[in-house]
């Protein structure tokens, strides 16, 4: 498509008297094709973020967010009926969301190294749905569930698709860090839902109530060498699904 124009704007405020700050991300995008879907999108995402440190040393945060998107489209192809384009029209959505994140890092200092064990719990609450067939999916087609988005409040990489419904992300990190800069670290996590979300395609690892397990092993014996091993394990059998 021809992308003209694409305009983005971000605003971050100073912390208020409660210690929280506001952030607003706005964008306008126009996609024009000689043949196929034409899409004009105006998006505004605003949230209030409040970080805190508890008496136990736990690190927690609360995020209250609102997503507002408007689309003016033509010739949108319904994935359920790919041979029948939808009529031209205006589509809008408004989705509120609240996210709570809690972490409790345990640190043990030994001679020449430091150990860190950190349990993580992340919960988001929003309404179900939010992805009508009238909204074309232009920027969230390339989706992969892995260690980089296990604790995200929206695992889709773009704006056109959003993750809805209540969900709970949990897991832990463990690492050994040397004084000379070398370290070994590991992460493991899973997503739990009250019911399955058909927004995610089959075999993505998120199509069921309980997701697959995702993890990572990160080994860096020196600042010049680093090794990653990323995996996704079957939720029932622990068989390797991605490596």
């Amino acid at each position: 498509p021809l992308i003209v124009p694409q305009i983005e704007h971000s605003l971050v405020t100073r912390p208020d008297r409660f210690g929280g700050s506001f952030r607003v991300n706005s964008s306008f995008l126009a996609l024009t094709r000689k043949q196929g879907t034409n899409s004009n999108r105006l998006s505004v995402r605003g949230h209030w973020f409040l970080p805190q440190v508890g008496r136990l040393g736990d690190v927690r945060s609360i995020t209250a967010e609102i997503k507002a998107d408007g689309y003016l489209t033509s010739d949108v192809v319904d994935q359920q009926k790919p041979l029948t384009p939808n009529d031209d029209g205006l589509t809008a959505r408004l989705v509120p969301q609240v996210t709570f994140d809690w972490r409790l890092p345990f640190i043990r200092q030994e001679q020449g190294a430091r150990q860190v064990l950190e349990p993580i719990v992340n919960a988001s609450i929003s309404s179900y749905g939010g992805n009508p067939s009238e909204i074309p999916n232009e920027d969230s087609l390339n989706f992969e569930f892995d260690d980089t988005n296990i604790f995200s409040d929206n695992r889709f990489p773009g704006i056109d698709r959003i993750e809805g419904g209540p969900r709970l992300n949990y897991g832990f990190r463990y690492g050994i860090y040397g004084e000379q800069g070398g370290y070994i670290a590991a992460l493991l996590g899973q997503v739990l839902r009250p019911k399955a979300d058909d927004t995610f395609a089959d075999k993505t690892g998120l199509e069921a109530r309980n997701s697959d397990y995702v993890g990572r092993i990160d080994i860096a014996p020196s600042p010049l060498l680093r090794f990653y091993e990323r995996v996704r394990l079957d939720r029932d059998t622990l068989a390797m699904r991605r490596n």
Side-chain angles (χ1 to χ4, degrees), residues 111-130:
Q111 185 176 3
R114 176 182 298 161
Q115 296 185 53
V116 179
L117 175 63
E118 184 183 37
I120 304 170
V121 178
N122 179 288
S124 296
I125 300 175
S126 63
S127 57
Y128 286 102

Side-chain angles (χ1 to χ4, degrees), residues 14-28:
R14 296 181 181 274
D16 55 28
R17 61 176 181 173
F18 302 105
S21 59
F22 286 93
R23 171 171 292 182
V24 180
N25 294 322
S26 307
S27 67
F28 177 79

Side-chain angles (χ1 to χ4, degrees), residues 4 15 21 42 47 63 66 134 156 159 217 235:
V4 178
S21 59
L42 177 62
H47 73 248
T63 304
I66 190 76
E134 292 81 6
F156 288 104
I159 295 176
I217 298 176
R235 64 183 68 87

Side-chain angles (χ1 to χ4, degrees), residues 79-200:
Q79 298 300 321
Q80 304 297 326
K81 301 176 182 178
L83 299 181
T84 307
N86 291 331
D87 295 334
D88 303 351
L90 179 65
T91 304
R93 65 183 173 194
L94 185 66
V95 180
Q97 178 173 285
V98 177
T99 300
F100 176 76
D101 187 271
W102 178 88
R103 305 164 188 241
L104 181 59
F106 294 92
I107 302 175
R108 179 180 179 179
Q109 181 70 45
E110 295 182 339
Q111 185 176 3
R114 176 182 298 161
Q115 296 185 53
V116 179
L117 175 63
E118 184 183 37
I120 304 170
V121 178
N122 179 288
S124 296
I125 300 175
S126 63
S127 57
Y128 286 102
N131 298 294
S133 59
E134 292 81 6
I135 294 180
N137 185 6
E138 299 280 2
D139 61 7
S140 297
L141 291 170
N142 188 14
F143 168 79
E144 183 173 354
F145 175 48
D146 59 19
D147 63 286
T148 63
N149 55 27
I150 175 65
F151 300 114
S152 299
D153 56 2
N154 182 29
R155 272 165 274 268
F156 288 104
I159 295 176
D160 293 335
R161 288 294 176 268
I162 60 174
E163 187 173 0
R167 60 262 187 202
L168 175 70
N169 316 318
Y170 76 96
F172 69 91
R173 289 191 179 102
Y174 176 75
I176 302 176
Y177 302 89
E179 294 180 350
Q180 304 301 320
Y183 64 88
I184 300 175
L187 178 145
L188 183 67
Q190 188 186 31
V191 181
L192 305 179
R193 300 173 179 276
K195 67 178 184 179
D197 188 351
D198 58 3
T199 305
F200 297 99

